[in-house]
Amino acid sequence: MIKMKALIFMTILMLASTGCGKTEQEPLRVYSFSGENEQLTVFNGIIVFNGSEEIFSGGDLKAADDSFLDITSYSTTFYTISGNEKNVILSNSVEDMTGGTVNVSGDLGQVSGESIIRRIKIDDASDWGNTLFFELTTKDKYGTENVYQLQMALTEITKNNGN
C-alpha cells in the first residue's frame, strides 16, 4: 500500500510539473485497479490521464505458490473488451531458455505515451465498467498450457471538481 501511495504521489507530482506553461489542459485523472481469485492477485495497478499523456502501470502480480511451481514460460496481458473486440493495452512474456523454471510473481510493467488507452475509446471510469481484464498464460515443463483471467476493479483516485 505504501508503494502504491508513493507511486501515485510521484506520478501526480511529475505530471503536475510537466504541465506548467500549457494552456487549457485537461484535468489530471488517476485511477487504481486490482483483481484477485484463489490463484492470482493483481494489485497496485495505476492509470493516469494528463492531457494527451497517459500512463498504464500494471502493478504487481502475486501467484499462489503451489499452483505455479514448474512454469517455464508465461505471458501477461492487460486488455479491454468492447463488444466482441479485445483491445490490448500492455502485454509481456518471459521464457526460461536454460531448462529451469520462472517465477510468475512480480512487477507487471508499464507503458506510457499518447493515446495508449484512449485509442480504445474509453474516456471515463464509468465507461470502463467491467471491461478491464488481466490474463496470465503459463506453460509448464511438461508442456501443459493454462490460461487464467481476472477482471479488474477500477477506483478513481482523483476527483474532478466540475468543469
Side-chain angles (χ1 to χ4, degrees):
M1 188 67 171
I2 293 173
K3 178 182 174 186
M4 185 170 95
K5 287 181 182 179
L7 182 59
I8 290 171
F9 175 75
M10 288 187 308
T11 302
I12 291 171
L13 185 61
M14 177 192 73
L15 292 173
S17 67
T18 60
C20 296
K22 291 183 180 178
T23 59
E24 268 315 298
Q25 188 172 4
E26 182 180 319
L28 174 70
R29 292 183 294 154
V30 180
Y31 301 91
S32 68
F33 63 88
S34 61
E36 68 180 304
N37 63 22
E38 55 281 341
Q39 296 151 325
L40 305 171
T41 302
V42 172
F43 58 100
N44 290 338
I46 297 174
I47 301 169
V48 178
F49 295 99
N50 186 34
S52 62
E53 180 72 16
E54 300 173 8
I55 299 170
F56 183 95
S57 174
D60 298 297
L61 173 65
K62 178 160 178 31
D65 294 332
D66 55 344
S67 300
F68 300 94
L69 292 177
D70 296 324
I71 304 302
T72 57
S73 67
Y74 69 90
S75 66
T76 60
T77 304
F78 285 97
Y79 62 93
T80 61
I81 294 180
S82 179
N84 291 331
E85 192 173 345
K86 182 177 180 177
N87 300 291
V88 174
I89 298 171
L90 175 64
S91 186
N92 291 302
S93 61
V94 173
E95 181 175 0
D96 180 85
M97 304 297 275
T98 66
T101 59
V102 295
N103 181 2
V104 300
S105 294
D107 185 1
L108 291 168
Q110 83 172 32
V111 63
S112 63
E114 292 185 22
S115 299
I116 59 170
I117 300 169
R118 285 199 180 101
R119 66 179 167 73
I120 301 171
K121 306 290 187 263
I122 297 176
D123 294 324
D124 189 4
S126 61
D127 293 340
W128 288 78
N130 300 319
T131 65
L132 181 61
F133 291 89
F134 169 77
E135 185 174 281
L136 171 67
T137 303
T138 63
K139 189 172 184 181
D140 66 20
K141 64 183 179 181
Y142 308 106
T144 305
E145 188 171 287
N146 289 299
V147 179
Y148 307 89
Q149 186 182 62
L150 288 177
Q151 187 170 357
M152 299 290 101
L154 203 66
T155 303
E156 185 170 3
I157 303 299
T158 56
K159 298 291 180 191
N160 292 338
N161 295 328
N163 288 23

